């Protein structure tokens, strides 16, 4: 019996329910047709709700879906019916905020497609095969963006930014103690 | 010159719905992928092409095997580039291409180099990629690096290795299990997420070792857990340990409960909620244990975040099913959720309230729900209607406001499923609450005046025909019914005619007027309507005010006590063989055939196998009857009453497999022994079964039908017949010995030797029990059937069944003892219920109809008591059933 919290899929759809970027981690939707049908159904079920200030939640086909909208982008995170709703919401928030950081707060469909590489890397850093890797937006964003600096960027700069991160962590920890 | 113009138009379109991938084409992108082979790599350009490839894959485009291989090989060239961003994209696309084993080898060395790189990002990602695409053989090569990575100082690297370990455990557990020392070290990591991933992996490695899991939980609940996610995980493991250990019998304390309770005061919401949920799901949770969890859930109900409100109300809704009293404290908060923007939350709140509400709050609740109903979807409305139905059955005195509510929503817009749920609810209320009958029937009458669903109209007309004539003023319904004959489609008209006839049959004073109406129906343009009218006019008498024949009433109101599938097969057979004889309804077998259990398959997971579908299961009893009728010795035994299911008389995988089917006739019993010879080197001849009936005194052997030859792996039958006294359910025990002549067979030629040896083989005993004399025959409306039986035949008694594990067990035991058909789904007992009523019906030998009402009750010490009420066409049969239970 696997008790580990699991994410079934992460969907990023536009204002008409078309896929911008989606990642499915289970075999519940074996074909692209099934995936698209699921996306359409979830989109239709949620499109009239107001999920712009706070994340919203619904159930669909024994799945829990948490979602949040911004501009013409709809973010969804799906989990099984026994999943802790708040864990899914944390994943959604991590994704949502990390994307906002990466797109410098210009979060809309056009910007997302122009930076699709960042979006895909971002999803890749949040969930690996259904298991949650990281939920902290700034950590996710920093892991994605350190990679996209030009090849010209010196190696030393990278280590510097990491050194800063480590230093900050140490500082916070000493404050907490 | 037209070219630029068109181009301009395109541009303008792009402006409206711009996408960098507009007009993207797989072929062109694959062409672009050639840049991967350039000696001077342009990192930016390569990244863009990979993004395009990823876009195509993400949109569901699939590459052919050749295309994928080509792209994969081209991508491997990119490991030469030192560009970080490009390397990340390379990692991504390798995972998405999921290369085959022989391709993996190409990138293995590059990835292994990255795994040992000084750049943390390379190490972490190379581990994830390699573990995703690798198979077991390669894993042993990289195992050493993975172990190192688990205890790497960089948390991202450690997490990558641990998460990969979790995935690999599914495919190559033997290797991952060797890492437990490193994983254990990682559990102590100061990095929050490393601890989470290490904990998940360690638990999965040890999940079959209860003691180890218990130790892990014990040490961690006392130690420090750094991230909320790890804390949630620990709570789940703790509840698992609690489930497996149970309550301490001496102190009544539950181990680790204190830990769960302390988590309710954690600062992270997800931990608080996980703990509260875990507590509510404890088996046999006490009110004292439940209270702190309910309190925090109540606080979450008024959170500003919809996710929190949803999680809390969903959990409380589940608690309300088993502990409604514990949830009543939250009712005020719950009521404010009825108007929640999120309709899922509102619906859950309402159904919870309907479960926990008390009699005094019903009216207020109904008012709130009325406002809410207009703006929710049908699926939610159905949930609400069902909740209201059960509330009404709980508080019958409140039927007036609930019935009003139902009739109001019945008039509003709604789909078929929704309307059906409402009509079903009203019908159930009318049936169970006598006071609600008249008003409920009128609501239904008004509904069919304007009902677009034929199915619902006919259902209501049928119900009206049964219930309407028994009301104080039946005449007021006639108008509604006759309106149907004038206004509706043929199906509804036909059922309206039947309903009119029922009124005519039961209400003598209305008869002359009903006759006038029915005569008008003779001119209907539909055959069925005319036929029905003619039939009823002829059977109801001469139209004068006189009592209707008992037979006619029986015909109009009696239920068809024959399974419809059996009726269908018999009619089909009748139509296939043209004959002068009229169809005889008694020739339809009454045995309910249990459908073979078809394994439920997950949709879409398995393709339907090609080839012809498996042959439809032929009815066993038909087949038996055919076999038996071909044996002249048994031909004069009369009609076969019942055949039992086969009873195995040998262990599995013995030399000879034998089972027996018991065929019951009016005076006789025939045992059919199905034998299979499982030894290729043997041929059996003159096979008989010697039956010792010394423990079955009422039976006397009258005939044997031996089996001439029984070759290898070809099942065949031998029969033994017994006579038994008529009308008595004779029971007894039979011991059996298989006797035969065995001949050696040369397996190469298949020829048997001439000389055989006599031999015997001991079979197991079996019994003829009372249930063998009872046919499973269901009735569609038990209440009607029960009331139509003579109350003088009723025999009631009470029995103690002793201590039982659960009511389910007791109910099943009695059902199988009596061998009757459970009706109206009453054989399923709700979880944890302490009392249950079960309705059974069947036919006793001699074609005597039997109905049984069983009431079970269980006290605190698990002692089960049962009240058995039997009605049947024959008092002796009622008593016989009591004897079965008393001796069983």
């Amino acid at each position: 019996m696997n008790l580990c919290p699991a994410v079934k899929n992460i969907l990023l759809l536009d204002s008409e329910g078309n896929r911008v970027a989606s990642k499915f981690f289970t075999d519940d939707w074996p074909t692209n047709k099934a995936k698209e049908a699921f996306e359409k159904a979830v989109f239709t079920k949620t499109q009239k709700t107001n999920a712009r200030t706070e994340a919203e939640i619904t159930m669909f086909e024994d799945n829990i879906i948490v979602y949040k909208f911004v501009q013409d982008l709809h973010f969804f995170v799906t989990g099984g019916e026994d999943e802790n709703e708040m864990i899914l919401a944390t994943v959604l928030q991590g994704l949502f905020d990390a994307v906002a950081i990466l797109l410098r707060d210009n979060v809309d469909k056009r910007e997302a497609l122009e930076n699709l590489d960042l979006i895909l890397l971002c999803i890749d850093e949040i969930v690996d095969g259904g298991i949650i890797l990281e939920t902290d937006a700034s950590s996710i964003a920093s892991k994605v963006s350190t990679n996209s600096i030009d090849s010209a960027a010196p190696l030393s700069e990278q280590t510097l930014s990491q050194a800063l991160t480590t230093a900050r962590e140490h500082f916070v920890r000493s404050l907490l103690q | 010159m037209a070219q630029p113009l068109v181009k301009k138009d395109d541009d303008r379109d792009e402006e409206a719905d711009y996408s960098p991938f507009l007009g993207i084409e797989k072929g062109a992108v694959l062409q672009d992928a050639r840049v991967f082979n350039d000696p001077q790599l342009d990192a930016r350009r390569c990244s863009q092409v990979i993004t395009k490839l990823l876009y195509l894959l993400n949109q569901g485009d699939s590459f052919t095997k050749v295309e994928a291989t080509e792209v994969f090989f081209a991508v491997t060239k990119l490991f030469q580039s030192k560009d970080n961003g490009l390397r990340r994209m390379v990692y991504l696309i390798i995972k998405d291409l999921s290369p085959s084993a022989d391709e993996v080898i190409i990138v293995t060395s590059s990835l292994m180099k990255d795994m040992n790189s000084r750049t943390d990002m390379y190490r972490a990602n190379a581990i994830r990629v390699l573990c995703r695409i690798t198979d077991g053989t390669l894993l042993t090569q990289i195992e050493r690096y993975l172990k190192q990575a688990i205890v790497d100082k960089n948390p991202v690297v450690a997490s990558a290795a641990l998460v990969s370990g979790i995935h690999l455990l599914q495919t190559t557990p033997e290797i991952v299990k060797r890492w437990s020392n490193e994983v254990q070290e990682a559990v102590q990591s100061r990095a929050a997420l490393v601890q989470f991933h290490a904990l998940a992996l360690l638990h999965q490695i040890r999940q079959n070792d209860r003691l180890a899991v218990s130790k892990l939980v014990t040490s961690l609940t006392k130690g420090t857990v750094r991230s909320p996610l790890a804390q949630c995980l620990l709570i789940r493991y703790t509840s698992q340990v609690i489930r497996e250990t149970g309550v301490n019998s001496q102190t009544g304390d539950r181990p680790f409960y204190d830990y769960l309770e302390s988590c309710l005061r954690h600062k992270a919401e997800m931990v608080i909620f996980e703990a509260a949920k875990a507590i509510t799901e404890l088996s046999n949770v006490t009110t004292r244990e439940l209270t702190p969890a309910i309190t925090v859930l109540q606080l979450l109900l008024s959170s500003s975040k919809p996710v929190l409100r949803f999680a809390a109300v969903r959990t409380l809704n589940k608690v309300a099913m088993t502990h409604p009293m514990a949830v009543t404290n939250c009712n005020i908060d719950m009521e404010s959720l009825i108007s929640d923007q999120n309709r899922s939350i509102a619906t859950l709140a309402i159904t919870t309230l309907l479960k926990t509400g008390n009699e005094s709050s019903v009216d207020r609740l109904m008012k709130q729900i009325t406002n809410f109903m207009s703006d929710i979807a049908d699926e939610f409305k159905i949930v609400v209607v069902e909740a209201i139905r059960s509330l009404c059955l709980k508080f019958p005195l409140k039927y007036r406001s609930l019935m009003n509510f139902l009739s109001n929503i019945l008039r509003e817009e709604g789909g078929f499923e929704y309307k059906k749920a409402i009509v079903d609810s009203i019908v159930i209320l009318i049936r169970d609450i006598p006071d609600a009958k008249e008003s409920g029937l009128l609501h239904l009458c008004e509904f069919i005046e304007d009902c677009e669903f034929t199915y619902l109209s006919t259902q209501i007309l049928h119900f009206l025909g049964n219930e309407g004539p028994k009301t104080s003023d039946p005449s007021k319904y006639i108008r509604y019914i006759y309106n149907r004959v004038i206004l509706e489609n043929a199906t509804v008209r036909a059922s309206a005619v039947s309903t009119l006839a029922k009124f005519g049959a039961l209400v003598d004073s209305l008869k002359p007027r009903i006759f006038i109406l029915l005569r008008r129906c003779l001119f209907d343009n539909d055959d069925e309507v005319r036929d029905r009218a003619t039939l009823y006019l002829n059977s109801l008498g001469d139209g004068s005010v006189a009592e209707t024949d008992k037979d006619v009433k029986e015909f109009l109101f009696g239920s068809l006590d024959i399974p419809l599938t059996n009726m269908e097969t018999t009619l089909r057979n009748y139509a296939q063989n043209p004959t002068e004889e009229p169809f005889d309804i008694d020739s339809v077998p009454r045995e309910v055939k249990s459908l073979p259990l078809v394994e439920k398959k997950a949709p879409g997971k398995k393709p339907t196998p090609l080839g012809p579908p498996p042959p439809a299961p032929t009815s066993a009893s038909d087949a038996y009857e055919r076999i038996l009728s071909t044996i002249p010795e048994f031909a004069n035994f009369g009609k076969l009453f019942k055949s039992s299911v086969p009873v195995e008389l040998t262990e599995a995988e013995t030399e000879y497999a034998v089972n027996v089917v018991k065929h019951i006739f009016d005076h006789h019993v025939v045992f059919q022994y199905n034998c299979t010879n499982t030894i290729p080197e043997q041929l059996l001849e003159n096979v008989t079964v010697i039956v010792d009936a010394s423990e079955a005194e009422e039976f006397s052997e009258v005939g044997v039908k031996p089996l001439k030859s029984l070759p290898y792996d070809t099942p065949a039958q031998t029969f033994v017949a017994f006579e038994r006294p008529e009308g008595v359910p004779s029971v007894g025990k039979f011991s059996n010995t298989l006797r035969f002549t065995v001949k050696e067979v040369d397996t190469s030629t298949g020829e048997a030797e001439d000389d055989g040896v006599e031999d015997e083989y001991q079979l197991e005993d079996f019994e003829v029990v009372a249930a063998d004399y009872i046919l499973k025959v269901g009735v569609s409306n038990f209440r009607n059937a029960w009331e139509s039986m003579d109350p003088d035949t009723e025999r009631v008694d009470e029995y103690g069944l002793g201590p039982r594990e659960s009511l389910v067990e007791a109910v099943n035991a009695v059902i199988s003892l009596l061998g009757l058909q459970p009706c109206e789904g009453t054989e399923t007992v709700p979880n944890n219920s302490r009392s249950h009523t079960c309705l059974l019906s069947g036919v006793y030998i001699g074609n005597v109809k039997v109905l049984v009402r069983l009431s079970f009750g269980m006290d605190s010490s698990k002692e089960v008591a049962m009240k058995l009420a039997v009605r049947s066409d024959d008092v002796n049969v009622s008593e016989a059933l009591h004897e079965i239970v008393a001796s069983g």
Side-chain angles (χ1 to χ4, degrees):
Chain A
M1 185 173 53
N2 194 352
L3 298 172
C4 196
V7 174
K8 285 190 173 184
N9 64 44
I10 291 179
L11 315 176
L12 193 50
L13 308 179
D14 71 6
S15 54
E16 276 145 28
N18 299 314
R19 187 184 296 166
V20 175
S22 295
K23 197 83 192 160
F24 290 79
F25 304 106
T26 62
D27 301 330
D28 295 357
W29 303 275
T31 60
N32 190 51
K33 216 171 172 183
K35 290 181 176 120
E36 278 177 349
F38 179 78
E39 288 169 342
K40 278 276 181 287
V42 167
F43 177 80
T44 325
K45 196 175 161 70
T46 57
Q47 61 174 336
K48 290 209 185 78
T49 55
N50 179 19
R52 294 188 182 267
T53 44
E54 288 287 356
E56 279 288 347
I57 183 163
T58 189
M59 287 203 72
F60 177 67
E61 289 177 353
D62 294 341
N63 290 307
I64 295 176
I65 299 156
V66 288
Y67 55 99
K68 202 167 177 186
F69 305 155
V70 64
Q71 303 280 10
D72 52 357
L73 277 181
H74 295 203
F75 292 75
F76 301 88
V77 172
T78 307
E81 68 172 335
D82 291 325
E83 198 46 84
N84 182 328
E85 289 88 341
M86 287 162 212
I87 292 182
L88 296 175
T90 311
V91 174
L92 175 71
Q93 197 62 43
L95 168 75
F96 191 84
D97 292 346
V99 169
I101 295 172
L102 291 167
L103 301 185
R104 298 192 177 77
D105 285 328
N106 294 322
V107 186
D108 58 23
K109 180 188 175 188
R110 181 181 175 148
E111 202 66 26
L113 283 172
E114 297 235 337
N115 296 285
L116 189 69
D117 50 344
L118 298 186
I119 305 279
L120 292 173
L121 285 174
C122 184
I123 297 177
D124 184 60
E125 288 294 352
I126 295 173
V127 174
D128 181 295
I131 298 174
I132 300 162
L133 272 182
E134 177 62 82
T135 58
D136 177 58
S138 54
S139 318
I140 299 164
S142 72
K143 277 197 257 175
V144 173
S145 55
T146 48
N147 302 317
S148 65
I149 44 173
D150 285 340
S151 55
L155 215 73
S156 59
E157 191 178 298
Q158 229 186 81
T159 40
L160 185 69
S161 72
Q162 267 166 2
L164 276 173
T165 322
T166 328
R168 196 177 61 212
E169 276 175 9
H170 277 293
F171 181 62
V172 170
R173 207 170 288 144
S174 65
L175 277 183
L176 283 175
Q177 273 161 4
Chain B
M1 291 307 277
Q3 196 80 19
L5 264 176
V6 172
K7 187 117 194 174
K8 212 171 186 182
D9 271 4
D10 269 349
D11 278 347
R12 212 179 299 143
D13 279 348
E14 279 175 32
E15 209 58 41
D17 186 23
Y18 170 79
S19 158
F21 301 107
L22 200 71
I24 188 169
E25 232 194 319
K26 188 169 81 172
V29 180
L30 289 174
Q31 286 283 322
D32 287 349
R34 290 190 182 160
V35 296
F36 300 165
N37 296 317
D38 285 355
Q40 285 296 313
L41 283 173
D42 177 351
R44 188 174 291 269
R45 175 107 181 81
C46 290
S47 284
Q48 282 166 356
V49 175
I50 293 185
T51 309
K52 281 186 184 168
L53 288 166
L54 286 171
Y55 175 80
L56 287 173
L57 285 169
N58 200 270
Q59 291 294 322
D61 254 308
S62 56
F63 292 175
T64 65
K65 186 84 192 75
V66 177
E67 286 167 346
T69 310
E70 247 167 52
V71 171
F72 176 77
F73 277 114
V75 163
T76 56
K77 305 264 168 48
L78 299 179
F79 274 103
Q80 292 164 20
S81 167
K82 293 273 179 292
D83 185 275
N84 287 346
L86 177 58
R87 186 63 59 89
R88 282 302 308 270
M89 299 311 283
V90 169
Y91 292 143
L92 263 193
I93 193 143
I94 291 180
K95 279 199 274 190
D96 270 12
L97 285 172
S98 43
S100 62
D102 47 335
E103 292 167 348
V104 169
I105 296 168
I106 315 287
V107 281
T108 305
S109 62
S110 306
L111 285 170
M112 272 168 74
K113 208 171 118 209
D114 283 358
M115 269 175 69
N116 295 298
S117 153
R118 278 171 50 207
T119 317
D120 296 330
M121 187 277 293
Y122 279 8
R123 289 213 302 284
N125 279 292
I127 289 171
R128 283 171 58 199
V129 176
L130 198 52
C131 291
R132 170 69 54 85
I133 61 177
T134 190
D135 60 1
T137 51
L138 196 64
L139 196 58
T140 44
Q141 288 179 48
I142 57 168
E143 189 185 356
R144 188 161 57 92
Y145 305 114
L146 287 175
K147 279 185 172 175
Q148 265 171 25
I150 288 174
V151 289
D152 197 291
K153 276 201 293 297
N154 184 297
V156 182
V157 177
S159 280
L162 288 162
V163 171
S164 300
I166 296 174
H167 295 314
L168 289 170
L169 194 65
Q170 314 299 324
T171 51
T172 46
E174 65 286 351
I175 294 178
V176 181
K177 280 184 178 161
R178 293 201 290 252
W179 308 345
S180 61
N181 282 338
E182 285 77 12
V183 178
Q184 195 137 28
E185 200 179 323
V187 171
Q188 305 305 323
S189 165
R190 298 188 69 85
L193 282 163
V194 174
Q195 191 186 35
F196 164 60
H197 295 131
L199 185 56
L201 180 54
L202 190 64
H203 178 262
Q204 284 191 29
I205 290 176
R206 300 199 171 154
Q207 60 183 342
N208 295 324
D209 182 352
R210 270 193 206 183
L211 195 65
V213 172
S214 173
K215 269 188 192 161
L216 178 69
V217 167
T218 310
S219 74
L220 278 170
T221 48
K222 286 177 191 141
T224 38
V225 179
R226 288 190 176 77
S227 75
L229 278 173
Q231 195 76 258
C232 287
L233 212 48
L234 187 56
I235 291 171
R236 291 182 191 185
Y237 300 158
T238 308
S239 356
Q240 191 190 21
V241 171
I242 293 178
R243 248 197 316 278
E244 281 163 4
T245 42
V247 180
N248 183 327
S249 51
Q250 274 146 26
T251 59
D253 276 348
R254 216 187 276 270
F256 299 114
Y257 173 79
D258 289 344
Y259 165 72
L260 291 183
E261 209 228 316
S262 73
C263 288
L264 294 174
R265 294 183 292 275
H266 198 273
K267 58 183 185 301
E269 279 154 349
M270 72 164 79
V271 177
I272 297 174
F273 173 68
E274 187 76 47
K277 192 168 142 191
I279 291 177
T280 62
E281 285 168 2
L282 292 174
S283 56
N284 298 323
V285 64
T286 64
T287 319
R288 190 170 57 92
E289 290 170 320
L290 210 47
T291 310
I294 302 287
T295 311
V296 300
L297 289 172
Q298 186 176 4
L299 284 174
L300 293 178
L301 285 180
S302 45
S303 159
S304 63
K305 297 179 185 163
V307 173
L308 270 60
R309 295 198 301 272
F310 176 89
V313 74
R314 191 160 82 104
T315 311
L316 289 170
N317 188 297
K318 279 190 197 139
V319 178
M321 293 183 197
T322 49
H323 297 82
M325 289 314 289
V327 186
T328 43
N329 282 342
C330 311
N331 279 3
I332 306 270
D333 306 76
M334 207 77 85
E335 277 177 31
S336 61
L337 291 183
I338 293 180
S339 51
D340 200 294
Q341 287 284 317
N342 185 317
R343 286 304 163 203
S344 309
I345 296 177
T347 313
L348 283 166
I350 285 190
T351 50
T352 315
L353 281 170
L354 290 174
K355 278 175 205 148
T356 59
N358 51 29
E359 197 144 5
S360 59
S361 66
V362 168
D363 289 314
R364 192 160 39 96
L365 210 57
M366 298 316 294
K367 209 169 274 171
Q368 278 168 310
I369 296 175
T370 313
N371 300 331
F372 159 88
M373 285 302 269
S374 53
D375 52 17
I376 54 169
D378 270 12
E379 51 173 331
F380 289 146
K381 288 182 184 169
I382 293 172
V383 177
V384 174
V385 168
E386 277 162 3
I388 286 181
R389 176 203 306 172
S390 52
L391 185 71
C392 193
L393 294 176
K394 201 160 111 197
F395 303 121
L397 286 176
K398 287 285 163 194
Y399 79 87
R400 217 176 291 269
S401 58
L402 294 166
M403 191 63 103
N404 270 339
F405 174 81
L406 289 175
S407 70
N408 281 336
I409 56 174
L410 193 54
R411 277 188 222 119
E412 280 159 21
E413 285 292 295
F416 172 72
E417 290 296 330
Y418 173 43
K419 289 289 164 79
K420 181 168 179 291
I422 305 173
V423 170
D424 286 349
S425 298
I426 295 182
V427 167
I428 287 174
L429 297 188
I430 293 174
R431 221 175 51 194
D432 289 15
I433 306 171
D435 289 345
K437 189 163 163 180
E438 305 248 337
S439 64
L441 284 177
L442 273 180
H443 288 312
L444 291 178
C445 281
E446 269 163 38
F447 174 61
I448 53 172
E449 284 283 17
D450 182 23
C451 171
E452 52 183 312
F453 306 109
T454 301
Y455 175 82
L456 289 180
S457 292
T458 54
Q459 290 288 304
I460 292 173
L461 282 168
H462 173 78
F463 184 68
L464 210 54
N466 287 343
E467 298 294 331
K470 296 179 209 154
T471 54
S472 57
D473 181 13
S475 63
K476 66 182 170 192
Y477 302 105
I478 302 294
R479 179 171 61 91
Y480 297 102
I481 301 166
Y482 191 66
N483 277 349
R484 305 280 72 68
V485 178
I486 302 169
L487 300 167
E488 302 279 355
N489 63 40
T491 316
V492 179
R493 290 204 302 276
S495 53
V497 168
S498 298
T499 308
L500 282 176
K502 286 181 183 174
F503 274 81
L506 282 192
V507 189
D508 298 332
S509 58
L510 284 179
K511 211 180 219 176
R513 283 184 271 168
I514 296 278
F515 258 71
I516 297 170
L517 296 176
L518 284 179
R519 281 209 191 93
R520 288 189 200 160
C521 300
L522 291 175
F523 303 103
D524 197 282
N525 55 13
D526 184 79
D527 292 352
E528 173 76 18
V529 178
R530 283 198 309 274
D531 288 355
R532 283 196 190 195
T534 315
L535 171 67
Y536 294 133
L537 280 171
N538 285 323
S539 53
L540 282 179
D542 55 2
S544 60
V545 182
E547 193 161 343
T548 317
D549 251 20
K550 189 166 175 288
D551 282 350
V552 176
K553 281 186 188 167
E554 176 75 13
F555 166 68
L556 275 171
F557 292 96
S559 62
L560 185 67
D561 51 0
I562 301 167
L564 282 179
T565 47
N566 297 5
M567 179 87 166
E568 192 190 335
T569 12
T570 318
L571 278 173
R572 216 177 277 240
N573 289 342
Y574 179 77
Q576 272 170 4
N577 309 311
T579 157
E580 292 288 299
E581 271 172 58
F583 179 74
D584 180 9
I585 201 154
D586 288 333
S587 65
V588 182
R590 296 181 164 208
E591 180 84 345
V592 178
K593 282 163 209 156
S594 53
L595 288 172
L597 279 174
V598 178
E599 215 172 298
K600 219 171 136 190
K601 279 181 193 150
K605 284 221 167 142
K606 269 187 194 158
T608 346
L610 296 169
T618 48
S619 129
S621 63
D622 284 359
Y624 289 145
E625 206 161 3
R626 220 173 302 135
I627 295 176
L628 291 172
S629 62
T630 57
I631 304 169
E633 291 93 321
F634 307 149
N636 59 352
F637 287 179
K639 194 169 154 49
L640 176 62
F641 177 73
K642 178 181 178 173
S643 301
S644 74
V645 290
V647 182
E648 294 298 333
L649 298 181
T650 50
E651 305 274 326
E653 292 169 35
T654 45
E655 298 97 307
Y656 315 110
V658 180
N659 64 40
V660 66
V661 178
K662 299 171 270 185
H663 301 291
I664 309 288
F665 292 87
D666 279 351
H667 304 267
H668 298 91
V669 179
V670 174
F671 300 134
Q672 171 185 342
Y673 295 90
N674 300 309
C675 311
T676 315
N677 172 10
T678 63
I679 307 173
E681 296 85 9
Q682 284 189 2
L683 170 71
L684 307 189
E685 285 186 348
N686 288 327
V687 185
T688 53
V689 176
I690 309 299
V691 184
D692 174 7
S694 56
E695 284 178 77
E697 289 160 5
E698 288 170 303
F699 294 84
S700 54
E701 191 172 319
V702 290
V704 176
K705 170 116 175 78
L707 176 59
K708 280 226 169 61
S709 125
L710 181 64
Y712 164 63
D713 208 21
T714 320
Q717 298 88 26
T718 165
F719 300 86
V720 181
F722 284 85
E723 198 171 32
R724 57 168 198 82
E726 189 183 359
V728 192
S730 318
V731 297
K733 190 172 175 184
F734 299 83
S735 25
N736 314 280
T737 314
L738 195 67
R739 182 176 290 170
F740 46 81
T741 311
V742 56
K743 289 182 177 173
E744 293 288 323
V745 174
D746 184 343
T747 44
S748 55
T749 62
E751 276 173 34
E753 284 174 19
D754 292 338
D755 297 334
V757 189
E758 292 239 335
D759 201 357
E760 285 186 358
Y761 187 80
Q762 189 64 43
L763 303 175
E764 286 181 28
D765 303 346
F766 69 89
E767 285 178 79
V768 170
V769 294
D772 288 328
Y773 297 99
I774 297 171
L775 271 184
K776 285 188 177 192
V777 177
V779 290
S780 51
N781 185 334
F782 188 88
R783 194 191 164 95
N784 271 358
W786 180 263
E787 278 168 6
S788 65
M789 286 251 190
D790 183 5
D792 291 342
T793 65
E794 182 167 327
R795 291 290 178 272
V796 185
D797 206 349
E798 290 183 12
Y799 300 89
L801 301 182
R804 298 273 174 163
E805 264 304 299
S806 65
L807 270 189
V808 186
E809 189 207 321
V811 172
N812 287 339
V814 177
I815 292 176
S816 65
L817 177 67
L818 290 175
L820 288 165
Q821 174 74 24
C823 301
E824 297 173 18
T826 53
E827 73 274 27
T828 45
V829 185
N831 263 348
N832 299 328
S833 58
R834 298 224 155 267
S835 64
H836 184 72
T837 300
C838 183
L839 309 173
L840 306 172
S841 83
V843 171
Y844 193 76
I845 188 154
N847 271 341
V848 185
K849 203 194 262 179
V850 188
L851 295 174
V852 169
R853 205 184 264 264
L854 288 167
S855 311
F856 292 86
M858 191 183 229
D859 69 5
S860 52
S861 56
K862 303 220 158 191
E863 286 280 341
V864 176
M866 174 183 78
K867 187 173 150 195
L868 170 69
V870 189
R871 285 189 186 183
S872 74
D873 293 342
D874 182 350
V875 187
N876 296 328
V877 172
S878 302
E879 277 163 5
L881 254 75
H882 275 281
E883 269 169 39
I884 294 173
V885 173
S887 59

